[in-house]
Amino acid sequence: MNDIPPSAPLPDEMPDHISSEMPDEMAHDMAADPIAVGQALAPVGQASVGQASAGQTGMPVASASVEAAIELPHSVEAEQQLLGAILTNNDVYDRIASIINATHFYDPVHTRIYEIAAARISKNALASPVTLKAFMEDDEGLKELGGPAYLAKLAGASISAFAVRDYAQMIYDLAIRRELIALGQSISDKARRVDVASEPKEQIVEAEQSLYQLAEQGQTESGFKSFLKAVTEAVNVTNEAYQRGGGMAGVSTGLADLDKQLGGLHPSDLLILAGRPSMGKTSLATNIAFNVAKAYKKGVKPDGTEGAIDGGVVGFFSLEMSAEQLAGRVLAEASEISSHKIRQGDMTEGEFRRFVQAAKDLESCPLFIDDTPALPISQLAARARRLKRTHGLDVLVIDYLQLCRGMAENRVNEIAEISMGMKAIAKELQIPVIALSQLSRQVENRDDKRPQLSDLRESGSIEQDADVVMFVFREEYYKEREKPGDHELDKMEEWKTAMERLHAKAEVIVGKQRHGPIGTVELSFTAEFTRFGNLAKEWQNGPREDEY
């Protein structure tokens, strides 16, 4: 009898609801044998009374009983201290409102107290035990805790408002743990149910989405920064550019004239690269991604942190082309072999050797490609975070924006959600994000085919959210389709002259730049290798001293 745990009821203390539901014989037997009581109540995996000597295992009980015995993580004391501090000093609410909300409280009564207090404080009204009493006099949960007097106890027990942020963070962390437990149970339940309509891959996507949404809750606002801190950060950026000898503060695109116009690719910027089909959007984006990855060097940055001192790790979301096709374009540029030849395998032995050597040279290139089609913007963000955590990430390219998916009901709102999501990724991960975008057909109806900001398709939010909007334009493409008949000799001569002037040339029109001038950058374009390059000017015999 001395081994019976205190929680196990003694024979003469058997609860009425248990004994009344048992057959008389069973109740009598259990009353006669207290060890049987311990065996019946023992949890799974825990030795019941008298089993240590016998070497037997406990009788399994229903899983619902085990789960009911598991107490979810919470701290009633922290909740009481926080609520007491708020009821004592309403200014405390402003310090913790960005960390928690009412749903993070474990005790339902505390949830209602916080909701009412927050609503009153938001209206510049006093939230105190006296004012809250009128709203909670009929609250059944509060009555169980002692009625309105409990509010006075909360305020009286509050020790100090100094540690309120710590209490708030603790309450938030415990709430996230509870949600993780619930999410794990939900995933487990769905996995157990074998349903034709719910494939394992779909369940994995749902689980990733749920985890992403849970992770998003933890992104509290940074709040105000002092002007001193902001100025210090601005000076550090300028110092970094100065240390490079008057070069760019951002990551180089590998295209000198474009770098001069943009100052490189800056962290937290969303750059939209738009154009009509066949203008070379993907080619230019691929070239920039390859140039950045090829130049990657790791070292200690001017601010003392370790990272890319030149070039960078590039993530490329290819929603339109497969990874193999994208790699083919990169190899065509690197090996200087026509991408058409590469696709057909129509190469000489020398070209094939050059192709293989280029592939070997690029093996260690930090360019990561994800060709999953129709990715939701939430998953795209989650995968970008994962890449940064595992391999690092300095530039992200998305080809293209309209192929992402959002949650909004209509297309305009969906595109707005996607563009805002991409800007959020740039700010959160502190990287430049280059997103490709299609243009509407109204460009084709104009005599001057050069695109404008109003040509961005489906939503004005793209223009609003972007820090830089660039258009790729190749006049040669349109002029080629204006070829006159062979009998029109004069027009044919003019056409040939124009084609010679436009041949292998492209324009990148910077239509918007939040931190710099707009203008047009001329580049060379070799269609055979899908390569954009620096266009040599007649006066360029070398770098001029006055440029630096």
Side-chain angles (χ1 to χ4, degrees):
M1 289 289 290
N2 294 333
D3 293 335
I4 298 175
S7 58
L10 296 175
D12 57 345
E13 297 172 341
M14 186 68 65
D16 295 334
H17 70 277
I18 295 178
S19 58
S20 62
E21 293 174 4
M22 290 182 181
D24 293 339
E25 295 83 7
M26 185 180 292
H28 180 270
D29 291 343
M30 290 186 72
D33 187 4
I35 293 177
V37 177
Q39 289 178 337
L41 297 176
V44 177
Q46 178 182 328
S48 57
V49 180
Q51 286 180 352
S53 57
Q56 298 174 350
T57 56
M59 182 182 296
V61 296
S63 60
S65 302
V66 177
E67 290 177 3
I70 298 174
E71 189 173 4
L72 293 174
H74 68 281
S75 175
V76 173
E77 294 81 3
E79 293 181 6
Q80 289 172 334
Q81 283 291 318
L82 182 64
L83 290 173
I86 292 173
L87 296 178
T88 306
N89 180 4
N90 288 178
D91 291 340
V92 165
Y93 173 77
D94 294 326
R95 294 163 57 187
I96 55 93
S98 62
I99 301 175
I100 62 169
N101 57 50
T103 61
H104 293 133
F105 286 85
Y106 179 77
D107 193 308
V109 178
H110 292 167
T111 298
R112 292 191 288 276
I113 293 172
Y114 184 85
E115 281 178 340
I116 296 170
R120 286 189 61 77
I121 294 169
S122 299
K123 295 177 182 176
N124 290 324
L126 178 66
S128 68
V130 176
T131 57
L132 263 65
K133 176 183 175 183
F135 296 93
M136 302 195 68
E137 277 185 325
D138 298 328
D139 192 292
E140 294 298 328
L142 187 62
K143 286 179 182 178
E144 292 180 9
L145 295 175
Y150 181 70
L151 298 173
K153 286 181 182 178
L154 286 177
S158 178
I159 300 171
S160 170
F162 179 74
V164 287
R165 286 187 66 86
D166 292 331
Y167 286 133
Q169 191 63 51
M170 182 180 182
I171 293 167
Y172 171 81
D173 290 342
L174 291 170
I176 293 298
R177 289 177 183 274
R178 293 195 297 272
E179 290 191 41
L180 279 170
I181 291 170
L183 179 58
Q185 290 173 343
S186 173
I187 293 170
S188 178
D189 292 342
K190 285 182 180 178
R192 284 194 189 99
R193 291 196 297 270
V194 181
D195 188 356
V196 178
S198 181
E199 296 292 330
K201 287 184 178 179
E202 293 175 2
Q203 291 181 8
I204 292 170
V205 170
E206 288 177 12
E208 281 187 349
Q209 176 73 7
S210 299
L211 280 170
Y212 169 76
Q213 290 172 349
L214 192 58
E216 284 294 288
Q217 294 179 21
Q219 296 179 10
T220 55
E221 296 178 3
S222 59
F224 286 104
K225 285 184 181 178
S226 69
F227 187 63
L228 173 62
K229 187 173 182 180
V231 166
T232 304
E233 290 175 357
V235 170
N236 288 337
V237 171
T238 306
N239 177 54
E240 193 173 336
Y242 178 75
Q243 293 297 331
R244 292 180 180 178
M248 307 141 306
V251 179
S252 172
T253 62
L255 302 167
D257 291 336
L258 189 60
D259 283 341
K260 191 173 181 181
Q261 183 74 23
L262 300 177
L265 306 173
H266 295 267
S268 79
D269 275 3
L270 173 61
L271 300 95
I272 298 295
L273 181 59
R276 289 292 296 155
S278 299
M279 286 293 107
K281 296 186 302 297
T282 301
S283 297
L284 180 55
T286 306
N287 287 180
I288 291 172
F290 174 52
N291 291 341
V292 172
K294 187 172 59 175
Y296 176 64
K297 287 181 185 175
K298 193 174 182 181
V300 179
K301 297 201 251 183
D303 61 0
T305 60
E306 191 173 293
I309 55 175
D310 197 6
V313 179
V314 181
F316 202 114
F317 283 100
S318 182
L319 308 181
E320 187 176 31
M321 297 195 316
S322 68
E324 173 265 325
Q325 290 172 331
L326 200 64
R329 287 199 175 196
V330 173
L331 287 169
E333 181 192 354
S335 63
E336 295 189 346
I337 300 170
S338 166
S339 55
H340 181 66
K341 281 187 175 183
I342 291 174
R343 283 184 65 83
Q344 290 190 329
D346 181 19
M347 292 181 281
T348 64
E349 185 179 346
E351 287 175 332
F352 184 72
R353 288 179 183 276
R354 199 160 76 241
F355 175 78
V356 173
Q357 186 58 47
K360 286 182 179 179
D361 294 341
L362 299 177
E363 279 180 355
S364 59
C365 195
L367 175 58
F368 298 89
I369 302 170
D370 187 329
D371 60 358
T372 310
L375 264 179
I377 184 63
S378 55
Q379 281 193 39
L380 191 146
R383 294 186 185 196
R385 285 194 204 96
R386 193 183 308 149
L387 179 59
K388 178 151 190 174
R389 189 172 63 250
T390 53
H391 298 283
L393 183 60
D394 298 292
V395 177
L396 185 66
V397 182
I398 302 163
D399 182 18
Y400 57 91
L401 186 148
Q402 282 85 1
L403 289 180
C404 284
R405 288 193 291 116
M407 303 294 289
E409 294 179 359
N410 64 66
R411 186 60 176 165
V412 173
N413 290 343
E414 186 180 25
I415 293 296
E417 178 191 344
I418 292 166
S419 65
M420 284 189 289
M422 290 179 179
K423 176 61 180 175
I425 293 170
K427 290 190 71 176
E428 179 192 340
L429 301 184
Q430 280 295 299
I431 57 171
V433 173
I434 303 173
L436 279 60
S437 177
Q438 291 283 18
L439 292 178
S440 64
R441 287 193 180 91
Q442 65 187 17
V443 175
E444 312 294 337
N445 300 327
R446 297 196 299 261
D447 292 335
D448 185 1
K449 301 293 193 294
R450 282 176 174 77
Q452 304 167 1
L453 288 173
S454 57
D455 297 326
L456 286 168
R457 205 168 93 183
E458 291 176 312
S459 178
S461 64
I462 299 175
E463 176 188 346
Q464 295 167 12
D465 295 327
D467 296 280
V468 177
V469 178
M470 300 179 288
F471 303 102
V472 186
F473 177 69
R474 291 194 301 117
E475 192 175 352
E476 180 186 15
Y477 172 83
Y478 292 107
K479 184 59 73 174
E480 195 173 12
R481 282 148 183 78
E482 295 175 4
K483 183 178 179 180
D486 293 336
H487 62 284
E488 299 177 289
L489 298 179
D490 293 341
K491 288 185 179 180
M492 178 63 78
E493 195 63 33
E494 289 178 10
W495 179 81
K496 284 182 178 178
T497 304
M499 284 297 293
E500 287 176 8
R501 177 176 55 85
L502 299 172
H503 178 63
K505 290 183 182 178
E507 297 176 20
V508 175
I509 303 166
V510 180
K512 175 188 176 182
Q513 186 174 191
R514 202 165 263 155
H515 311 294
I518 61 173
T520 300
V521 176
E522 291 186 339
L523 300 173
S524 66
F525 178 68
T526 309
E528 191 180 10
F529 310 141
T530 62
R531 175 198 285 169
F532 283 85
N534 299 307
L535 188 66
K537 310 292 194 304
E538 291 180 1
W539 50 266
Q540 284 180 325
N541 297 317
R544 297 184 304 176
E545 291 184 2
D546 59 305
E547 284 186 350
Y548 299 97

